[in-house]
Amino acid sequence: MMHSATGFQGLVSLQQAVELIDQDHALAIAGDESLLKQLPRGNWIGGTIPYFMDQRGGTVSRDKLYINDLSGIGSRIDIRSYSTHNLPALVNEAPDNGFSLIILPGGSDILSCYAKNAPDYEDIFLKPIIGWVSGHHLDDAGSATPKVINGLDGEPWDNRAVAMHVGLPETKMAQLDIVNLFQQGEGHTFRFADSGFTAGDCLIDGAPGNFADFLRQQEIDTRLPLVADYSGAMVNVSIKGSDSERGTVDFYAPVFSGVDYKLAAPVVDYIDEFTAVTPNAGGSWVFSCNCILNYLYMDLEGKRTANITGPFTFGEIAYQLLNQTLVYLSVEDQR
Amino acid sequence: MLDMEFYERILGIASPWHITKTKQYINQQRVDIWIAQREKGSWFKQPLIPKTSGSEEVWQHLGLGRFRTYIHAAIGENRIPDAAYPWMGQKGMPFTHALTKRVLEMLGERMSYSVVCSLLNVDLQDVWRLKHSLDIGTPRADAPVAGLQVTKGSDISAKPSAEPSTDIPPAEDPIWHKVISNETEVDIRQLGLKLLISRVRNQYINADSDELRTLRKSELRKYFIRHERSLQHELRQILPL
């Protein structure tokens, strides 16, 4: 377990997690569903995932839980659940000075709703909202459903979001940022007519084309995401699968109409490049998570990424849904 | 019958439109009013057969006291000028033209969503729906947005709280146009500002009125005011020396 000035985080046993909950700690917890279901009620939110980066490197575990203890950080902590109906209220309920940590269940309607609409929520970019998308062991694909749990009632949900709103004292401020090794490649520019998780026909360098046909004809490595440049922030959309018969491509996050995308340039050595661009986590990092696709594609099992730890997730939230990106939140003194 | 005449008078509903039914839900503090067009030449014939043109739409209208008012009407694909029919709404939208106008006036005055919802007795989700459709450019171009006065009689406590003393230029300052349109290039360090400015840029380009453009400039300015202390790097690039 890693201790810092802002609380501790790391892998713990079920018994250790139970003790922390019983001591009324405010926790964000990631772990296998079978463990999360055994936790007592308390001030915690959780999501299902068995993949983690800890101090020893990338690992998969069904008998450990990853904990971020937020107790010592906030002056006020508020736990809420959201359905698709009241999801836009998330931003209103976020503290004016502080941050919100949200967990959404993978593959759910509420994730789709958040992914498509969150960038348009009022004040969404004014308040730091970090989080992740829950998942399952890849061996359980088809039989397991990603869940989230509001520790106050202990109920697992596959179509609700949970959030922990953490208010900070006036002397502190939260900073949210990302580490994305992918940059736009030199190749073609893609623009899609409609926003969504599936796309086919599009403009390729301004000329009508089909993205599925393009991937097939050019034999593109679909482990490389589409990358959009948001005023200097590189935002990935990862490719889930391509159906050349139907002429459609499915994504892990929506593409947005009116945005120019390029396929990413390849990353040569993930560990080296990650270490080079990642700021020193120091003691101010409160939360971070990385993408399960980075774990898989970059073969991170047993390897460390600087001294960054946290769950590997089915999607990352830094205000909006991201893919193949590390997101992190730090709490610093107000200047 | 008296109810219907009363509602027609206070809502300003005139021929060929008329109220066909009203329903009051006292416990829910809600009134539902059904409005239809009379068939030509049917004025003196009974019963009146409402002319149906498409599926029924339901819009929330300006409240009657503490009661929410919902208008039911079928308008089909017709686009009806809102000035003539303020009690009507646009297909698929949550509010009548009159209530839409009031909501946008308040947002234009930089009131928060929660204050608007509280004052007008409307749901946050509906206001967000309206705003979202505005952002993607579906509502009428003639919808007033900003710069209008809040209706007299509004609760004084609901007015936007006074802005803290700031050196950030007002929304009308040309710098915001320059920043949004990239005439003045700004090196941005904060992720939230990068994402916001990208969104605002896209909406600004697609805005079809000065009011909408002012709304976008106000959004960007709001970010700078809120994060003024941590945006010194960016502010040095846009503020005059």
Side-chain angles (χ1 to χ4, degrees):
Chain A
M1 196 183 297
M2 188 169 76
H3 291 259
S4 73
T6 49
F8 61 81
Q9 50 187 289
L11 284 172
V12 299
S13 67
L14 176 65
Q15 185 53 38
Q16 285 172 302
V18 169
E19 286 169 11
L20 288 167
I21 292 168
D22 287 343
Q23 290 163 18
D24 215 22
H25 285 244
L27 308 172
I29 306 177
D32 193 77
E33 183 176 350
S34 62
L35 294 187
L36 291 175
K37 280 181 171 172
Q38 296 177 57
L39 293 172
R41 293 182 185 184
N43 291 322
W44 61 276
I45 59 171
T48 54
I49 197 76
Y51 298 93
F52 313 100
M53 176 63 75
D54 83 345
Q55 291 297 319
R56 290 176 297 267
T59 185
V60 53
S61 170
R62 291 182 190 261
D63 55 14
K64 296 273 188 183
L65 294 157
Y66 193 93
I67 279 184
N68 289 87
D69 188 348
L70 305 174
S71 311
I73 299 163
S75 54
R76 186 177 59 83
I77 286 177
D78 191 15
I79 293 172
R80 299 286 177 101
S81 299
Y82 296 94
S83 68
T84 51
H85 299 295
N86 66 347
L87 195 53
L90 169 81
V91 184
N92 297 61
E93 291 171 357
D96 283 338
N97 182 45
F99 64 92
S100 299
L101 198 162
I102 184 172
I103 311 175
L104 296 135
S108 63
D109 288 344
I110 196 164
L111 172 63
S112 172
C113 177
Y114 186 85
K116 285 191 266 193
N117 300 322
D120 291 323
Y121 289 169
E122 186 196 26
D123 292 349
I124 179 77
F125 300 120
L126 267 65
K127 300 176 177 179
I129 294 175
I130 192 168
W132 56 284
V133 177
S134 66
H136 51 67
H137 196 294
L138 296 175
D139 291 347
D140 298 339
S143 61
T145 308
K147 306 267 186 5
V148 302
I149 299 180
N150 176 342
L152 295 177
D153 61 26
E155 287 294 318
W157 293 95
D158 62 11
N159 200 17
R160 289 180 75 86
V162 292
M164 185 174 278
H165 299 296
V166 181
L168 294 174
E170 283 305 309
T171 53
K172 300 282 184 187
M173 63 184 288
Q175 290 278 18
L176 170 52
D177 214 335
I178 60 175
V179 175
N180 180 13
L181 296 191
F182 293 103
Q183 296 288 324
Q184 290 188 318
E186 294 293 324
H188 303 277
T189 300
F190 305 92
R191 185 173 272 227
F192 301 92
D194 299 309
S195 301
F197 282 85
T198 300
D201 292 340
C202 62
L203 293 177
I204 303 175
D205 295 332
N210 181 279
F211 192 50
D213 291 344
F214 178 88
L215 292 178
R216 181 174 48 80
Q217 288 160 4
Q218 303 292 319
E219 297 180 343
I220 299 295
D221 178 357
T222 54
R223 293 177 302 175
L224 296 173
L226 285 171
V227 183
D229 182 347
Y230 285 66
S231 304
M234 296 298 149
V235 173
N236 300 340
V237 174
S238 299
I239 297 168
K240 190 176 185 180
S242 177
D243 185 336
S244 48
E245 267 186 33
R246 287 173 51 218
T248 56
V249 178
D250 292 328
F251 303 104
Y252 285 107
V255 290
F256 290 101
S257 62
V259 173
D260 286 332
Y261 294 90
K262 283 175 174 283
L263 283 161
V267 172
V268 179
D269 187 318
Y270 188 85
I271 302 287
D272 279 356
E273 292 187 33
F274 187 93
T275 306
V277 301
T278 304
N280 184 8
S284 64
W285 283 35
V286 169
F287 178 86
S288 66
C289 63
N290 201 343
C291 182
I292 186 72
L293 296 179
N294 284 341
Y295 177 86
L296 295 172
Y297 297 163
M298 308 301 172
D299 193 22
L300 295 181
E301 186 164 6
K303 297 174 190 164
R304 292 181 57 187
T305 46
N307 58 345
I308 310 303
T309 64
F312 283 106
T313 62
F314 278 34
E316 302 75 58
I317 309 290
Y319 305 103
Q320 62 187 57
L321 177 63
L322 308 174
N323 292 151
Q324 286 177 266
T325 302
L326 178 133
V327 302
Y328 67 94
L329 184 123
S330 57
V331 171
E332 292 157 9
D333 290 333
Q334 288 265 23
R335 279 167 280 180
Chain B
M1 193 61 192
L2 280 175
D3 267 2
M4 294 194 201
E5 285 173 10
F6 170 73
Y7 284 130
E8 281 179 2
R9 201 167 302 151
I10 63 169
L11 293 175
I13 295 166
S15 182
W17 299 91
H18 74 125
I19 293 176
T20 59
K21 186 170 75 171
T22 66
K23 216 166 180 180
Q24 294 153 18
Y25 302 91
I26 305 300
N27 289 340
Q28 296 171 37
Q29 299 198 318
R30 163 179 181 143
V31 181
D32 282 63
I33 299 170
W34 281 260
I35 300 175
Q37 268 183 291
R38 295 176 200 276
E39 286 287 7
K40 274 187 182 171
S42 66
W43 183 255
F44 297 106
K45 296 174 190 167
Q46 294 294 333
L48 292 166
I49 302 164
K51 187 184 188 178
T52 53
S53 53
S55 58
E56 181 182 277
E57 297 284 322
V58 185
W59 306 285
Q60 187 177 350
H61 190 47
L62 298 167
L64 295 169
R66 282 186 300 177
F67 278 53
R68 288 186 177 195
T69 310
Y70 289 88
I71 305 288
H72 300 242
I75 58 168
E77 298 302 324
N78 299 326
R79 188 154 156 155
I80 299 165
D82 57 317
Y85 302 101
W87 47 266
M88 200 176 268
Q90 199 173 336
K91 196 173 170 61
M93 297 304 293
F95 306 130
T96 60
H97 296 312
L99 185 53
T100 297
K101 181 171 181 282
R102 190 71 60 85
V103 168
L104 295 180
E105 282 172 358
M106 290 181 164
L107 290 178
E109 289 287 329
R110 301 185 197 115
M111 290 186 185
S112 71
Y113 277 32
S114 53
V115 169
V116 173
C117 291
S118 162
L119 262 183
L120 295 177
N121 195 11
V122 295
D123 291 332
L124 174 66
Q125 198 186 351
D126 288 336
V127 176
W128 181 81
R129 239 174 85 203
L130 173 70
K131 171 88 170 7
H132 178 68
S133 66
L134 246 175
D135 291 343
I136 59 175
T138 54
R140 308 168 317 280
D142 55 347
V145 175
L148 299 175
Q149 293 302 308
V150 176
T151 308
K152 282 178 186 173
S154 294
D155 182 353
I156 191 83
S157 65
K159 294 201 171 188
S161 55
E163 261 178 20
S165 169
T166 176
D167 292 331
I168 309 285
E172 299 75 29
D173 192 292
I175 189 62
W176 300 114
H177 168 78
K178 289 179 182 169
V179 171
I180 295 174
S181 58
N182 220 10
E183 283 175 31
T184 297
E185 282 189 40
V186 182
D187 176 52
I188 302 169
R189 289 180 179 168
Q190 285 196 6
L191 176 66
L193 183 54
K194 289 176 185 175
L195 298 174
L196 173 67
I197 210 165
S198 288
R199 188 190 75 184
V200 165
R201 240 170 222 158
N202 200 24
Q203 294 167 339
Y204 193 79
I205 292 165
N206 294 321
D208 53 13
S209 70
D210 286 342
E211 287 82 4
L212 278 177
R213 281 185 280 274
T214 301
L215 197 61
R216 301 300 161 229
K217 289 187 268 192
S218 299
E219 266 187 87
L220 185 59
R221 179 174 180 268
K222 188 174 176 184
Y223 187 99
F224 274 86
I225 290 174
R226 190 185 186 94
H227 297 283
E228 188 170 357
R229 280 198 284 179
S230 57
L231 283 172
Q232 293 308 306
H233 170 73
E234 290 81 358
L235 282 169
R236 274 195 295 273
Q237 300 170 67
I238 67 169
L239 289 178
L241 293 172

